Amino acid sequence: MSKVLAYDLGASSGRGMIGSYSGGRIQMEELLRFPNDPVVVRGTLYWDVLRLFYHIKQGIGQAARRGIDSVGIDTWGVDFGLFRKDGQLVGNPVHYRDNRTDDYDRCQVTPQEAYEATGIEVVYFNTLYQLNALARKHPHVLADADHMLLMPDMFNYMLCGDMKAEYTIASTTAMLNPRTRAWDEGIVHKAGIPEHLLCEVVLPGTLCGLLSPGVCEDIGCEAVRVVCIASHDTASAVAAVPTQKKDFAFMSCGTWCLLGTVLDKPLINEQTQACNFTNEGTVDGKIQFMKNIMGTWLIQESRHQWAREGRRYSFGELEEMASLAQPFRCFIDPDAPEFAKPGDLPARIREYCRKTGQPVPEDTGAIVRCINESLAFKFRRTLESMEACTGKSYDSINVVGGGSQSRLLCQMTSSACGREVIAGPVEATALGNIGVQLIFHGDLADIAELRAAVANTCVLERYVPQDQELWRHGYSRWEEIVSGGRS
């Protein structure tokens, strides 16, 4: 029986989980958890990657003394580190919410060209635009770089010294051709990005290497295998969706909510581009056809603002206040640009409602209810657009990740969409990470067996639609409010 260590790094925290497989179930134990707080220095928003790497190493040392067979790392997409020929970092990796890509529309690659080539939705923080911004504004930085590594690939390199580009994380960049699973040389060249920066693309389940002698000496352990798992956190989460259906709708719900389905091949046409759906890689080489929606970030950042004002609430307290607030009073477009950056989100929500002629939510519960109802309506619009694009219908939604803990949001999603919501597991990303390592070791046969093991392991919550007429009326009002071309 193999024992593996899975690191799941999200936008606000990271955790290390030890996992194994026995009796048809995945055994999972949390080893450590640590914060992931971005740092602003002279107007630039950075990731504190050296502190993250310190936590990763310390956890490996603890786990290795207990005996593990491998380690795998997943993170969010698009962000990267640059490395010189001597293997050292060129500066500190910049956060995707930084303002250096605010003028992304100046990229030489048009949105239509980028989408037709890569099938990735056009978003200002795509890796394509981040590297193009460097090429236009700071060419000396790229001139000093020999390789670009996305975040999980970067940590793998720091651990074992081997540079590889794992397929699922590479697919988030808007530089990978989803048909060939290789870098799109035409897009890369036209954007002014040196092609030598890009490493070999490998599929999930590939051995990256062994812990380097220096790392082993630093943390006091023997060499452990480092495995390229489905290192994009969404791909790991989708690998752990507990279903055996071929066609299913999933929502990986956290800081971002990714609502989509799995297809055998990319779906790229005028309709999917107009709906801004993305085509990213899955653990078994298929396509996650999905849309990014601003998720619990809206709650998280509002909570931070209230804490700065001296009002500290747990997520449970916020849900309780929201459940008591008046329903269907005011709405926002969760993906409106004014909500994308850190800051006083409650004030921005009030201003949005004021500008759109709605009642202004003044108290905490009203703001949280406004966010949750608006998210639920955005999920409905996205689901219906996905059905129109794929020509398929979905009678339920599997909600995984941290957002599956929110009974209020899950019930609202069910009622707004008119579909059953199956919530869980919360730790889908870690389970998917563990599962791919167990497949690598031969403990599990494939993704179907992994999903069956997850279903056996976790308790799932089910929600059915309620008050359908009220939610249909509310959705009509929401659509009227956000129909000004911003949703």
Side-chain angles (χ1 to χ4, degrees):
M1 182 176 66
S2 303
K3 187 180 292 185
V4 303
L5 174 60
Y7 275 108
D8 172 29
L9 275 64
S12 58
S13 66
R15 73 217 78 179
M17 313 287 283
I18 293 178
S20 59
Y21 177 71
S22 177
R25 298 163 60 91
I26 294 176
Q27 315 298 323
M28 188 169 64
E29 171 193 354
E30 183 175 303
L31 179 70
L32 78 165
R33 189 176 290 255
F34 45 90
N36 182 13
D37 298 314
V39 181
V40 178
V41 180
R42 296 185 60 81
T44 298
L45 187 62
Y46 296 99
W47 293 109
D48 192 357
V49 297
L50 299 184
R51 177 53 52 182
L52 293 175
F53 187 57
Y54 169 83
H55 287 300
I56 289 170
K57 288 196 298 181
Q58 296 308 303
I60 293 174
Q62 295 175 37
R65 286 186 282 276
R66 295 170 53 177
I68 55 170
D69 297 284
S70 63
V71 58
I73 300 173
D74 68 74
T75 78
W76 64 97
V78 307
D79 288 337
F80 57 87
L82 295 171
F83 290 83
R84 296 195 298 261
K85 284 186 178 180
D86 63 3
Q88 298 301 311
L89 268 171
V90 180
N92 210 61
V94 174
H95 196 294
Y96 63 85
R97 292 192 192 274
D98 184 72
N99 60 14
R100 69 176 174 175
T101 53
D102 285 354
D103 62 348
Y104 75 101
D105 55 351
R106 295 186 61 190
C107 180
Q108 300 91 316
V109 180
T110 68
Q112 183 174 354
E113 289 173 328
Y115 190 84
E116 288 178 351
T118 69
I120 297 298
E121 66 176 307
V122 176
V123 187
Y124 70 92
F125 51 67
N126 284 344
T127 314
L128 172 70
Y129 299 129
Q130 293 195 46
L131 287 168
N132 175 258
L134 287 176
R136 288 187 288 109
K137 304 172 189 177
H138 308 287
H140 63 283
V141 174
L142 289 187
D144 196 27
D146 192 58
H147 285 96
M148 182 274 294
L149 292 173
L150 293 153
M151 299 301 281
D153 300 327
M154 179 188 70
F155 290 124
N156 287 345
Y157 167 68
M158 290 176 167
L159 289 173
C160 66
D162 290 328
M163 291 187 174
K164 291 182 172 64
E166 188 275 319
Y167 164 63
T168 67
I169 199 74
S171 74
T172 71
T173 61
M175 299 191 300
L176 190 83
N177 188 312
R179 304 169 185 90
T180 64
R181 300 179 194 160
W183 300 112
D184 192 291
E185 295 179 359
I187 292 295
V188 171
H189 177 74
K190 189 170 183 179
I193 300 166
E195 293 178 24
H196 69 260
L197 293 177
L198 307 177
C199 298
E200 172 196 6
V201 178
V202 301
L203 290 175
T206 299
L207 177 67
C208 187
L210 298 176
L211 289 184
S212 69
V215 170
C216 290
E217 182 179 1
D218 185 24
I219 61 179
C221 74
E222 299 296 323
V224 174
R225 283 173 285 191
V226 179
V227 177
C228 292
I229 47 91
S231 57
H232 183 208
D233 53 9
T234 305
S236 276
V238 172
V241 172
T243 182
Q244 295 300 313
K245 292 181 180 179
K246 182 183 186 299
D247 295 317
F248 61 93
F250 68 81
M251 184 163 66
S252 179
C253 189
T255 302
W256 289 91
C257 285
L258 298 310
L259 196 159
T261 190
V262 174
L263 303 176
D264 290 331
K265 59 184 180 180
L267 183 56
I268 303 172
N269 54 42
E270 291 183 1
Q271 183 181 20
T272 65
Q273 183 177 5
C275 295
N276 219 10
F277 273 86
T278 202
N279 292 261
E280 294 181 3
T282 70
V283 65
D284 48 357
K286 296 182 180 180
I287 293 296
Q288 295 169 178
F289 181 73
M290 61 189 186
K291 186 172 178 62
N292 289 290
I293 302 166
M294 200 76 72
T296 58
W297 155 260
L298 297 164
I299 301 291
Q300 293 165 7
E301 192 60 20
S302 295
R303 186 168 172 254
H304 289 159
Q305 178 61 30
W306 291 320
R308 288 190 285 267
E309 297 170 358
R311 294 181 289 157
R312 300 185 180 277
Y313 304 112
S314 69
F315 289 108
E317 289 172 328
L318 292 176
E319 278 212 5
E320 184 176 356
M321 287 186 281
S323 66
L324 297 174
Q326 182 180 341
F328 308 122
R329 188 166 182 265
C330 54
F331 308 116
I332 60 170
D333 173 8
D335 291 322
E338 54 262 49
F339 304 134
K341 300 292 177 72
D344 190 349
L345 282 195
R348 296 177 199 168
I349 289 170
R350 287 192 290 268
E351 180 60 21
Y352 182 103
C353 293
R354 190 177 293 112
K355 284 184 177 180
T356 51
Q358 303 179 82
V360 177
E362 297 294 347
D363 63 79
T364 301
I367 289 173
V368 176
R369 181 149 200 134
C370 170
I371 291 171
N372 278 287
E373 288 179 348
S374 299
L375 282 172
F377 288 137
K378 188 77 178 209
F379 299 157
R380 171 176 169 174
R381 173 185 282 189
T382 303
L383 180 65
E384 291 177 350
S385 296
M386 184 173 77
E387 290 179 327
C389 288
T390 62
K392 300 177 180 180
S393 60
Y394 306 91
D395 58 7
S396 62
I397 307 170
N398 283 92
V399 178
V400 301
S404 67
Q405 297 177 97
S406 172
R407 292 179 176 273
L408 184 67
L409 182 58
C410 286
Q411 183 58 66
M412 287 182 172
T413 300
S414 176
S415 296
C417 296
R419 323 291 168 98
E420 180 185 32
V421 163
I422 305 165
V426 174
E427 296 287 0
T429 304
L431 284 164
N433 183 323
I434 290 168
V436 174
Q437 292 187 70
L438 293 174
I439 292 171
F440 171 83
H441 291 293
D443 296 66
L444 292 171
D446 52 25
I447 296 302
E449 189 171 358
L450 166 58
R451 288 183 172 145
V454 172
N456 290 337
T457 301
C458 303
V459 176
L460 306 177
E461 297 284 342
R462 295 178 180 268
Y463 300 83
V464 296
Q466 297 179 359
D467 303 320
Q468 288 291 274
E469 188 58 37
L470 291 175
W471 281 93
R472 279 192 288 269
H473 178 68
Y475 180 65
S476 297
R477 284 187 50 226
W478 176 83
E479 282 210 307
E480 290 175 6
I481 290 163
V482 303
S483 61
R486 298 196 296 177
S487 66

